[in-house]
Amino acid sequence: MTTAADIMHPGARWIPAHETLDRAAQLMRELNVGALPISDENERLCGILTDRDIVVGCVAMGHDPAKVTAGEMAKGTPRWIDAGADVDAVLHEMQDHQIRRLPVIENKRLVGMISEADLATHLSEDQIASWVESVYAKG
């Protein structure tokens, strides 16, 4: 059985909720990623911040990214998957919630992220086609 841990990109890093968006953007550049999980003071997932969130939700609104925190951008209930979950559970979670990035948690700690690129690398063409149709379908 292929698990979330098998297809994830290991070594994902949190951005603490109290960190500013300019620092988040710097960390995204350093890590060459477009999204960061947001952690609360107990290192628990409280959201995901994307580069698009910073641009559209902060900069385009005329706000200063040096004064807005990652936690202020966290919206909704964050989705995640256990490292031992099978690929079908990963796909189900991403499809049901129409998300493109999924944090992987093991023993209550972040251990990786699953992105579109990870799916493309590890799944069959049929699995990818079904996932794309579900996640990108217009409501």
Side-chain angles (χ1 to χ4, degrees), residues 11 15 23 33 40 43-44 72 74 78 80 85 98 108 111 118:
I15 185 80
R23 177 62 190 127
V33 298
D40 65 15
E43 289 198 358
R44 301 293 165 92
E72 291 175 83
W80 58 274
Q98 292 190 309
K108 299 182 181 180
V111 293
D118 299 313

Side-chain angles (χ1 to χ4, degrees), residues 90-108:
V90 169
L91 293 173
H92 182 73
E93 184 70 18
M94 294 175 86
Q95 289 169 329
D96 280 1
H97 300 284
Q98 292 190 309
I99 55 177
R100 295 179 282 171
R101 297 172 181 100
L102 188 63
V104 180
I105 306 292
E106 184 174 51
N107 298 322
K108 299 182 181 180

Side-chain angles (χ1 to χ4, degrees), residues 42-91:
N42 298 315
E43 289 198 358
R44 301 293 165 92
L45 183 67
C46 64
I48 294 181
L49 178 68
T50 67
D51 47 7
R52 187 174 194 283
D53 293 334
I54 295 170
V55 172
V56 175
C58 179
V59 177
M61 300 297 289
H63 301 297
D64 182 352
K67 294 182 180 173
V68 178
T69 66
E72 291 175 83
M73 299 299 288
K75 297 178 183 79
T77 303
R79 308 308 306 180
W80 58 274
I81 196 85
D82 185 85
D86 68 20
V87 170
D88 288 337
V90 169
L91 293 173

